[in-house]
């Protein structure tokens, strides 16, 4: 099976999650803007600092 690593660069996609009524929204503004990478960032944004401090690791798999 072929796989391709996807961009994970939260500093580039943080603006996609801005919401005027919620902490963040779970959909990107621009549907052409790295949806799989944004989905991974959405998951990562909701993991606690404690998770990371304890050395927690996670993986987002986007399947089509």
């Amino acid at each position: 099976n072929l796989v391709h690593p996807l961009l994970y660069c939260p500093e580039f996609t943080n603006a996609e999650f801005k919401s005027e009524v919620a902490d963040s929204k779970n959909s990107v503004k621009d549907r052409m803007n790295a949806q799989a990478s944004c989905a991974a960032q959405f998951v990562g944004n909701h993991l606690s600092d404690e998770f990371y401090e304890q050395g927690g690791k996670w993986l987002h798999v986007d399947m089509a």
Side-chain angles (χ1 to χ4, degrees):
N1 292 338
L2 299 175
V3 297
H4 179 75
L6 296 173
L7 171 72
Y8 181 76
C9 195
E11 52 273 15
F12 290 152
T13 54
N14 273 335
E16 292 291 331
F17 297 98
K18 290 192 179 180
S19 171
E20 294 188 20
V21 296
D23 293 337
S24 71
K25 57 183 177 170
N26 66 351
S27 180
V28 295
K29 288 187 281 188
D30 180 358
R31 290 289 190 192
M32 299 299 290
N33 191 11
Q35 290 184 43
S37 296
C38 287
Q41 182 182 340
F42 183 80
V43 172
N45 286 350
H46 291 87
L47 296 173
S48 68
D49 291 337
E50 183 180 355
F51 174 81
Y52 289 111
E53 289 166 3
Q54 294 178 358
K57 297 182 191 278
W58 62 277
L59 172 72
H60 171 74
V61 177
D62 198 82
M63 294 183 189

